[in-house]
Amino acid sequence: MTEVVIWLIAFALILFFSIKQWDTSVSAGLNKMLPRIIKSGDDNRWIWSVALAILGATTLVRPVDMLLTVIVIAILALIAKKVVSWAMGRANFH
């Protein structure tokens, strides 16, 4: 129960501050990190703020789980990149 309360408080605070600081820092920071196709415009303010609040609150409450999830995603992305690279090398486009 304590974990849920801490998560909800962290979620609410991160959401509040990301909405409040959207124009000054959050939007600019996201735009530096993201590809052009998913840039954060003003119409995506709520979507990105909620996503950041969920990730931030979960990272605060369960950091080991988040770290392991990131490691698994990175390994899967590396394997997918290698398989696609191998398949493109074997493909004959003539």
Side-chain angles (χ1 to χ4, degrees):
M1 182 70 181
T2 305
E3 187 175 299
V4 173
V5 172
I6 293 171
W7 190 91
L8 287 172
I9 292 170
F11 174 80
L13 288 173
I14 293 170
L15 181 64
F16 173 75
F17 286 117
S18 65
I19 294 283
K20 185 177 177 184
Q21 296 294 324
W22 181 261
D23 293 326
T24 57
S25 62
V26 178
S27 179
L30 281 174
N31 284 338
K32 287 181 185 177
M33 293 189 311
L34 298 174
R36 184 177 5 170
I37 194 76
I38 55 173
K39 292 284 186 184
S40 60
D42 283 337
D43 53 338
N44 296 331
R45 173 189 305 227
W46 283 97
I47 295 169
W48 281 110
S49 295
V50 169
L52 290 173
I54 290 171
L55 288 173
T58 305
T59 302
L60 285 173
V61 173
R62 313 267 309 184
V64 174
D65 292 349
M66 290 299 287
L67 179 64
L68 292 176
T69 301
V70 168
I71 290 170
V72 168
I73 290 172
I75 290 171
L76 290 175
L78 181 64
I79 290 171
K81 181 180 174 184
K82 295 291 184 181
V83 168
V84 167
S85 175
W86 174 79
M88 292 299 285
R90 302 266 305 163
N92 187 3
F93 292 110
H94 290 122

